[in-house]
Amino acid sequence: HETLQGTANLWLAMCKLPKPFPSFLRLIPAIYAFWNAVKGGSDTVTKLMDDCVLRVPKCHLNPETAAITRLIMLVLTLCHRLFQVISANSHLNYPSLHHYRAAASARTTFHVSLLQCNRIFKSELAATMSATTEENPISAANPPMSPSSTRNNQSTTRRNPPRQRVDGALPEPTTFGATILSKVKP
C-alpha cells in the first residue's frame, strides 16, 4: 500500500514539473544516495580488484586458480591501503572521512601501489636467491630438474589412481580443474 501511494505521490509531483524533463540517468533514489554516503569500502575494494590486470591464462584457469588470484588481489589491495595510510598526514587533520579518502587517492593510486609491490617482491626474491646461493652453493649450482627433463623418468611422474566403478559404471573423466596425466608420451 505504501509503495503504491509513494509512486502515486511521485507521479503527481513530476506532473507539476516544467516539461521537457531533464535526463533521469543520474537520478538516484534518496535511500540509495544515503547508502552510498554511509557504506563501507567493500565496493571500492571490489572495483580496485576488478579493474586490475592480474589475469590467469585461460589454459590454467580453474576454480582454485580463480580463488587464489582473488586472495592475492585482496593482499595487494591491503598493501595499497597501507601505503595510503603510511603516506597520510601525520596528524590526520582531515575535516571528514570523505576528505581523507580524496587525499589518499590523490597521494597514491592502485597502479602505483602495484608497481611498488612489484619492486618490493623482486628485491625480496633477489635477496632470498642470493642468501640461498651463499648458504648452499651445491643446491644453487644444481637447480631442480624442469618438468620437461623429468618426463622420460617414470619414477618422478605422478599418476592418477585407477578409476573405481560407481554402480557398475566408470565415471566420466573430469574436464575442469587440475588433472594429472596417467600416461606419459615420449
Side-chain angles (χ1 to χ4, degrees):
H1 178 70
E2 289 85 13
T3 304
L4 181 61
Q5 185 178 1
T7 304
N9 289 339
L10 181 62
W11 181 77
L12 287 173
M14 289 179 66
C15 286
K16 295 177 185 174
L17 292 175
K19 311 290 188 289
F21 292 130
S23 173
F24 290 126
L25 292 177
R26 297 204 177 254
L27 184 65
I28 301 173
I31 189 70
Y32 298 137
F34 175 74
W35 168 251
N36 288 339
V38 298
K39 70 180 177 184
S42 65
D43 292 346
T44 57
V45 169
T46 302
K47 182 168 176 21
L48 283 175
M49 292 189 306
D50 289 344
D51 290 347
C52 183
V53 195
L54 181 60
R55 302 280 185 252
V56 177
K58 292 269 188 207
C59 62
H60 300 294
L61 189 61
N62 59 40
E64 291 84 13
T65 57
I68 289 171
T69 303
R70 197 72 173 176
L71 290 174
I72 291 170
M73 288 305 303
L74 278 171
V75 170
L76 292 174
T77 306
L78 174 66
C79 289
H80 168 63
R81 294 297 186 204
L82 289 174
F83 290 150
Q84 287 182 332
V85 168
I86 290 169
S87 65
N89 183 351
S90 61
H91 301 294
L92 293 176
N93 330 349
Y94 298 100
S96 68
L97 180 60
H98 176 74
H99 287 90
Y100 168 77
R101 288 179 179 164
S105 296
R107 279 193 310 275
T108 181
T109 63
F110 190 49
H111 180 74
V112 171
S113 295
L114 288 176
L115 293 176
Q116 190 170 355
C117 285
N118 185 22
R119 284 190 296 273
I120 292 169
F121 292 149
K122 281 185 177 180
S123 67
E124 289 295 322
L125 178 64
T128 303
M129 293 302 286
S130 66
T132 303
T133 306
E134 292 169 4
E135 291 173 6
N136 196 354
I138 295 173
S139 66
N142 300 322
M145 293 190 291
S146 66
S148 61
S149 66
T150 60
R151 283 195 180 134
N152 296 332
N153 186 356
Q154 294 293 332
S155 65
T156 60
T157 304
R158 297 184 300 173
R159 296 177 182 255
N160 278 331
R163 291 184 147 336
Q164 301 294 321
R165 291 188 177 270
V166 178
D167 292 330
L170 286 175
E172 291 288 324
T174 58
T175 57
F176 61 90
T179 59
I180 301 172
L181 298 176
S182 60
K183 291 184 179 180
V184 177
K185 296 179 182 179

